[in-house]
Amino acid sequence: MKNKHIAETAIIECEYSDIGDNTKIWNWVHVMKGVKIGKNCMLGNNVFVGENVTIGDNCKIQNGVQLFDGVTIGNHVFIGPNVVFTNCRFPNPRMKCETYSKIMIEDDVMIGANSTIVAPCHVYNNAFIGAGSVVTKDVLGVTVCGNPAKIIRRH
């Protein structure tokens, strides 16, 4: 465990070898089994990381973020406080795990506070999602805001 900081109150169900060097995991974070976290990341207080989530290198995940099964985060991604990644567009209590939809966040993406990303969804490189947005479809490297999120600027 090279230069990792994992708070005493954090619950880590994955192997420490799946957490990259220089990564910081703060208080009351819960990391489920099968998770991979890259190097130089920061997971703020009260973050939940569901099974089989992958987080790339140099990511900053602010307090209260919820990453459920089926989410892949690229490198250099900023996720603001209280962002939720849902893995099911139409919840059904009888649904089995293997039917969850996927969310892919590519590199250099910024997601503003209190946004909701609804699966299935693909957010491409260099996209910006404004605070409080609800993303229900793919974002192709542009800036989106609102509910539902709409393009406000092309890069």
Coordinates of all heavy atoms in Angstrom, one line a residue, residues 108-110 124-129 139-144 151-155:
D108 N -11.1 13.4 -19.0 CA -11.2 14.9 -19.0 C -12.6 15.4 -19.0 O -12.9 16.4 -19.6 CB -10.4 15.5 -20.2 CG -9.0 15.0 -20.1 OD1 -8.3 15.3 -19.1 OD2 -8.5 14.4 -21.1
V109 N -13.5 14.7 -18.2 CA -14.9 15.1 -18.1 C -15.1 15.8 -16.8 O -14.5 15.5 -15.8 CB -15.9 13.9 -18.2 CG1 -17.3 14.3 -17.9 CG2 -15.8 13.3 -19.6
M110 N -15.9 16.9 -16.8 CA -16.3 17.6 -15.5 C -17.8 17.5 -15.3 O -18.6 17.8 -16.3 CB -15.8 19.0 -15.6 CG -14.3 19.1 -15.6 SD -13.6 20.8 -15.7 CE -14.8 21.8 -14.9
Y124 N -18.6 11.5 -23.5 CA -17.3 11.4 -24.3 C -16.3 12.4 -23.7 O -16.6 13.3 -23.0 CB -17.6 11.6 -25.8 CG -18.4 10.5 -26.4 CD1 -19.7 10.4 -26.3 CD2 -17.7 9.5 -27.0 CE1 -20.4 9.3 -26.8 CE2 -18.3 8.4 -27.6 CZ -19.7 8.3 -27.5 OH -20.4 7.2 -28.0
N125 N -15.1 12.3 -24.2 CA -13.9 13.1 -23.8 C -14.3 14.6 -23.8 O -15.0 15.1 -24.7 CB -12.7 12.9 -24.7 CG -12.1 11.6 -24.6 OD1 -12.1 10.9 -23.5 ND2 -11.5 11.1 -25.6
N126 N -13.8 15.3 -22.7 CA -13.9 16.7 -22.6 C -15.3 17.3 -22.5 O -15.5 18.5 -22.7 CB -13.2 17.4 -23.8 CG -11.7 17.0 -24.0 OD1 -11.0 17.1 -23.0 ND2 -11.4 16.4 -25.1
A127 N -16.2 16.5 -22.1 CA -17.6 17.0 -21.9 C -17.7 17.7 -20.6 O -16.9 17.5 -19.6 CB -18.6 15.9 -21.9
F128 N -18.6 18.7 -20.5 CA -18.9 19.4 -19.2 C -20.4 19.3 -19.0 O -21.2 19.6 -19.8 CB -18.4 20.8 -19.4 CG -18.7 21.6 -18.1 CD1 -17.8 21.6 -17.1 CD2 -19.8 22.4 -18.0 CE1 -18.0 22.3 -15.9 CE2 -20.1 23.1 -16.8 CZ -19.2 23.1 -15.8
I129 N -20.7 18.8 -17.8 CA -22.1 18.7 -17.4 C -22.4 19.7 -16.2 O -21.7 19.6 -15.2 CB -22.4 17.3 -16.9 CG1 -22.2 16.3 -18.1 CG2 -23.9 17.2 -16.4 CD1 -22.3 14.9 -17.7
V139 N -23.5 12.2 -24.2 CA -23.0 13.6 -24.3 C -21.7 13.5 -25.1 O -20.7 12.9 -24.7 CB -22.8 14.2 -22.9 CG1 -22.2 15.6 -23.0 CG2 -24.1 14.2 -22.1
L140 N -21.7 14.2 -26.3 CA -20.6 14.0 -27.2 C -19.5 15.2 -27.1 O -19.3 15.9 -28.0 CB -21.1 14.0 -28.7 CG -22.2 12.9 -28.9 CD1 -22.8 13.1 -30.3 CD2 -21.5 11.6 -28.8
G141 N -18.9 15.3 -26.0 CA -17.8 16.2 -25.8 C -18.3 17.7 -25.9 O -17.5 18.5 -26.4
V142 N -19.4 18.0 -25.4 CA -20.0 19.3 -25.4 C -20.4 19.7 -24.0 O -20.2 19.0 -23.0 CB -21.3 19.4 -26.3 CG1 -20.9 19.1 -27.7 CG2 -22.3 18.4 -25.8
T143 N -20.9 21.0 -23.8 CA -21.4 21.4 -22.5 C -22.9 21.3 -22.5 O -23.6 21.7 -23.4 CB -21.0 22.9 -22.2 OG1 -19.6 23.0 -22.2 CG2 -21.6 23.3 -20.9
V144 N -23.4 20.6 -21.5 CA -24.9 20.4 -21.3 C -25.3 20.9 -19.9 O -24.5 20.9 -19.0 CB -25.3 18.9 -21.5 CG1 -25.0 18.5 -22.9 CG2 -24.7 18.0 -20.5
I151 N -27.7 20.7 -24.9 CA -26.4 21.3 -25.3 C -26.6 22.8 -25.2 O -27.5 23.4 -25.8 CB -26.1 20.9 -26.8 CG1 -25.8 19.4 -26.9 CG2 -24.8 21.7 -27.2 CD1 -25.6 18.9 -28.3
I152 N -25.6 23.4 -24.5 CA -25.6 24.9 -24.5 C -24.3 25.4 -25.1 O -24.3 26.6 -25.4 CB -25.7 25.4 -23.0 CG1 -24.5 25.0 -22.2 CG2 -27.0 25.0 -22.4 CD1 -24.4 25.8 -20.9
R153 N -23.3 24.6 -25.3 CA -22.1 25.0 -26.0 C -21.4 23.9 -26.6 O -21.2 22.8 -26.0 CB -21.2 25.7 -25.0 CG -20.0 26.4 -25.7 CD -19.1 27.2 -24.8 NE -18.4 26.2 -23.9 CZ -17.9 26.5 -22.8 NH1 -18.1 27.7 -22.2 NH2 -17.3 25.6 -22.0
R154 N -20.9 24.1 -27.9 CA -20.1 23.1 -28.5 C -18.6 23.5 -28.4 O -18.3 24.7 -28.4 CB -20.4 23.0 -30.0 CG -21.9 22.5 -30.2 CD -22.2 22.2 -31.7 NE -23.6 21.9 -31.8 CZ -24.1 20.7 -31.6 NH1 -23.4 19.7 -31.1 NH2 -25.4 20.5 -31.7
H155 N -17.7 22.5 -28.1 CA -16.3 22.9 -27.9 C -15.5 22.9 -29.2 O -15.8 22.3 -30.1 CB -15.7 21.9 -26.9 CG -16.4 21.8 -25.6 ND1 -16.0 21.0 -24.6 CD2 -17.5 22.3 -25.2 CE1 -16.8 21.1 -23.6 NE2 -17.8 21.9 -23.9

